[in-house]
Amino acid sequence: MTAQPMSDVELAGQPAAYWTGVAYEALIAYTRARQAEKGYTQPQFWLLRNLSANDVSPDGRGMTLAELRTAMVSYLRPEDDLAAEAEALLERGWLTRDTEHRLWLTKEGEQARVDLARNAPAIRAALHDGIDDADYVTTVKVLQRLIRNAGGAGS
């Protein structure tokens, strides 16, 4: 069944929570599918980023899985298995584990992080196709206001 286009008046009455949820699921699914085509997962990329002194990590120090989960709590999904994802990166030689169970980024892992990050612009470009930057900025500002209006911590 094809949904009929809604008028602006009908769209204005739509629940934001519904549409943001639909958008979130679609954007995550698209992003993860493109990453899978390149041979990695989003959680694997996040692990590399959170362990890199050249990215999210403030100092490049190793972290335990529990510390990494805490660092990524705002964007991990329930189905994300960081232990399994870390094992895959250990097998690739992109991470090492010390005697205190801290994961460390290897030189090869840092290079992989840099290489994998090169996929992000193409993913963004595909998702932003037909959306000019001004409309995107307006959308983000509206979402931030909705978050603030709901008592959230929107910027």
Side-chain angles (χ1 to χ4, degrees):
M1 171 181 358
T2 304
Q4 296 297 319
M6 290 187 225
S7 70
D8 287 355
V9 170
E10 291 170 315
L11 284 172
Q14 290 288 301
Y18 170 77
W19 288 108
T20 57
V22 170
Y24 173 76
E25 292 300 330
L27 295 170
I28 292 295
Y30 182 88
T31 299
R32 288 182 174 210
R34 300 299 75 76
Q35 291 170 327
E37 291 170 357
K38 300 288 186 179
Y40 67 100
T41 68
Q42 193 171 46
Q44 288 171 355
F45 185 53
W46 291 336
L47 284 165
L48 297 175
R49 293 191 67 205
N50 275 273
L51 291 168
S52 174
N54 299 310
D55 203 333
V56 177
S57 174
D59 56 16
R61 292 184 40 86
M63 297 173 75
T64 64
L65 280 175
E67 291 168 331
L68 285 159
R69 274 189 203 94
T70 298
M72 295 186 249
V73 70
S74 67
Y75 48 90
L76 280 176
R77 293 175 55 92
E79 68 270 20
D80 293 341
D81 183 347
L82 280 189
E85 302 291 1
E87 285 301 319
L89 297 179
L90 286 160
E91 289 173 14
R92 288 183 176 183
W94 293 356
L95 298 181
T96 60
R97 182 181 291 131
D98 66 20
T99 58
E100 295 176 351
H101 303 287
R102 291 185 174 281
L103 296 168
W104 295 82
L105 190 62
T106 65
K107 179 181 172 186
E108 295 79 11
E110 176 60 17
Q111 185 58 56
R113 183 195 64 79
V114 169
D115 294 343
L116 298 177
R118 291 187 181 122
N119 296 315
I123 293 170
R124 183 193 187 281
L127 291 172
H128 286 240
D129 184 44
I131 303 167
D132 67 37
D133 285 346
D135 286 343
Y136 181 76
V137 168
T138 297
T139 300
V140 172
K141 287 180 178 181
V142 168
L143 291 171
Q144 289 173 334
R145 180 57 188 243
L146 286 167
I147 293 164
R148 284 192 308 273
N149 288 349
S155 301

